[in-house]
Amino acid sequence: MKYLEPDTAPGEMIQNIALLLKKNTERLGEKPVFMEKKDGVYQGISWRSFSEDIHNIAFNLRKHGFRKGDKMIIFSPNRLEMLELEMALMAGGGVSVPIFAFFNEDTAKALIRHSGARFIAAAGRSQVEKLENISGIEKIFVFDTDAAGKSSVFSPFSELLKKRNDESFGLNTDAGADEICLNMYTSGTMGGPKCVQLTHRNILSQQSALEKVWDVSSSDRFLSYLPWHHSFGGIFERFSALYNGACIFLESGLGKNAEEIMENWKLVKPTVFFSVPKVYQSLVELTRSDGEAEELFFRSGLKFIFTAAAPLPRNLSDEFEKNDITVREGWGLTETSPCCTLTDPLVKRQPGLVGKP
């Protein structure tokens, strides 16, 4: 691991998301950026194909009347279509507004009204049913082709993937670092959810600092379930992978079941894992009753785990230390995009401390 000396400044910041995508597509080409489990096998998309899809989506959004600065609600659980669309919005001059995929109808509509968005992307039937009678929306793109509503406002997402007929079209590589590209609603721990406006600098300056703290590269594998509508997963984990060119393997159970996580762990053999204490507790308990799971989970190829959202209990800290697994712990807010503090990599970690700024 490479560690941050006290007098080391953050690295040079990439100015915007479009430049990040351009740089990594040129650098990584056919390397996978994202893998999703289908029929029990992880299948993925290369950086080159990912970039092509993002360009097509951004181009076709313009044909549907989407303009620079426009907002789009994304009402979906983590999946490839959501990732590509969010990157196309953020790199194409728009503002992505992800919301929890399973909000009830009243909450979803309240946030949609508050957002000022004229466009929505919805995953499938569960989301579409809550949008059937919504007003003030120009277009709703639906990821699942069999789930679109009857109104003409609904269109299949596949329309946005159509090959653009202008090869000179480019993403917004001139975007200023302080342009807003992401509106993220807080989890509402103090009253209702509140909208936080985030810029390219908010997202990318954090990554230029983290480069000095840990060694994440294009050879790393993230087994990922943290939801992208939330800052821990959608900014901190996701961009730690994208920025460094690591591959994101979507955990098929979305973190709900320790046995399924372990099945995916066996297939992926992650080198980095971001999670919350409740899930770590379930996984450690599983390892205590399953020798194969114990060997898989505490594998030497696991560079580090990251934990946040609640204190990691002392017994779990001791378990990871006993098995020589490096633990990084942090604290932050959506308003700080999101990491404020990290445990100091230069000193022995103390359970219960979330580190320094």
Side-chain angles (χ1 to χ4, degrees):
M1 302 284 285
K2 55 183 182 181
Y3 295 132
L4 177 64
E5 296 298 334
D7 60 349
T8 301
E12 183 180 352
M13 193 192 82
I14 298 171
Q15 181 172 299
N16 57 55
I17 304 298
L19 285 172
L20 171 64
L21 294 170
K22 182 175 186 290
K23 174 186 171 185
N24 276 357
T25 301
E26 292 170 351
R27 180 169 70 97
L28 300 168
E30 298 307 317
K31 278 204 162 199
V33 57
F34 180 82
M35 303 279 274
E36 205 163 358
K37 200 174 180 184
K38 295 179 181 177
D39 299 323
V41 177
Y42 272 100
Q43 302 175 40
I45 185 169
S46 70
W47 274 95
R48 200 175 311 285
S49 296
F50 185 61
S51 176
E52 179 68 11
D53 283 353
I54 288 168
H55 277 79
N56 288 334
I57 292 166
F59 176 82
N60 288 311
L61 278 172
R62 299 278 178 90
K63 291 175 66 176
H64 282 278
F66 191 94
R67 296 291 175 258
K68 184 178 179 180
D70 277 349
K71 301 166 188 169
M72 178 179 279
I73 287 279
I74 313 229
F75 193 23
S76 173
N78 298 4
R79 54 190 288 173
L80 175 61
E81 294 89 344
M82 179 181 181
L83 181 62
E84 291 186 330
L85 180 54
E86 280 213 87
M87 294 305 111
L89 291 166
M90 296 164 79
V95 180
S96 176
V97 191
I99 64 172
F100 177 49
F102 304 105
F103 271 141
N104 63 43
E105 183 174 340
D106 289 345
T107 303
K109 285 184 174 178
L111 294 187
I112 291 166
R113 284 194 298 271
H114 180 270
S115 73
R118 296 186 296 119
F119 299 83
I120 298 174
R125 199 169 304 282
S126 172
Q127 290 74 32
V128 166
E129 287 172 353
K130 296 165 187 172
L131 302 173
E132 289 282 9
N133 301 310
I134 197 164
S135 60
I137 298 297
E138 294 183 20
K139 187 66 71 175
I140 300 173
F141 296 98
V142 183
F143 296 156
D144 292 342
T145 53
D146 61 348
K150 297 175 183 176
S151 164
S152 61
V153 77
F154 290 97
S155 290
F157 176 73
S158 57
E159 281 191 14
L160 297 181
L161 290 171
K162 289 179 180 176
K163 176 70 175 174
R164 61 194 183 282
N165 56 15
D166 180 1
E167 285 300 324
S168 67
F169 174 81
L171 300 177
N172 195 24
T173 53
D174 294 328
D178 293 317
E179 288 185 26
I180 294 165
C181 60
L182 176 64
N183 280 2
M184 191 165 271
Y185 282 93
T186 65
S187 52
T189 49
M190 296 177 68
K194 307 201 171 45
C195 181
V196 178
Q197 296 178 301
L198 296 157
T199 67
H200 295 274
R201 187 191 305 277
N202 288 143
I203 296 167
L204 296 173
S205 64
Q206 186 152 101
Q207 293 304 320
S208 68
L210 287 166
E211 269 190 309
K212 303 288 185 173
V213 179
W214 56 40
D215 180 18
V216 177
S217 73
S218 60
S219 64
D220 282 308
R221 300 178 299 279
F222 284 53
L223 182 60
S224 174
Y225 75 84
L226 294 170
W228 294 334
H229 75 276
H230 189 276
S231 58
F232 186 18
I235 303 176
F236 193 64
E237 180 193 22
R238 180 170 55 165
F239 278 95
S240 291
L242 291 173
Y243 183 90
N244 294 290
C247 185
I248 299 169
F249 289 77
L250 185 64
E251 200 285 297
S252 58
L254 300 180
K256 303 296 184 188
N257 181 281
E259 285 81 7
E260 188 163 356
I261 295 173
M262 197 56 65
E263 285 176 17
N264 291 317
W265 197 280
K266 186 175 183 178
L267 292 171
V268 174
K269 296 182 175 61
T271 59
V272 178
F273 187 61
F274 287 67
S275 190
V276 298
K278 182 179 179 181
V279 172
Y280 285 123
Q281 182 71 56
S282 298
L283 289 167
V284 169
E285 286 175 3
L286 181 61
T287 67
R288 288 171 178 157
S289 61
D290 185 332
E292 183 186 10
E294 181 179 26
E295 188 176 343
L296 277 169
F297 187 57
F298 296 115
R299 51 187 290 277
S300 60
L302 183 60
K303 282 185 180 179
F304 66 86
I305 64 157
F306 191 90
T307 180
L312 187 71
R314 180 66 184 250
N315 67 307
L316 294 183
S317 289
D318 292 346
E319 195 75 22
F320 286 116
E321 184 173 358
K322 181 182 78 175
N323 286 280
D324 295 322
I325 300 297
T326 299
V327 175
R328 298 277 175 261
E329 190 160 12
W331 172 84
L333 304 162
T334 307
E335 293 87 336
T336 57
S337 64
C339 194
C340 286
T341 71
L342 285 175
T343 45
D344 189 341
L346 298 175
V347 299
K348 181 177 170 61
R349 180 178 168 275
Q350 295 182 53
L353 302 184
V354 290
K356 298 179 179 180

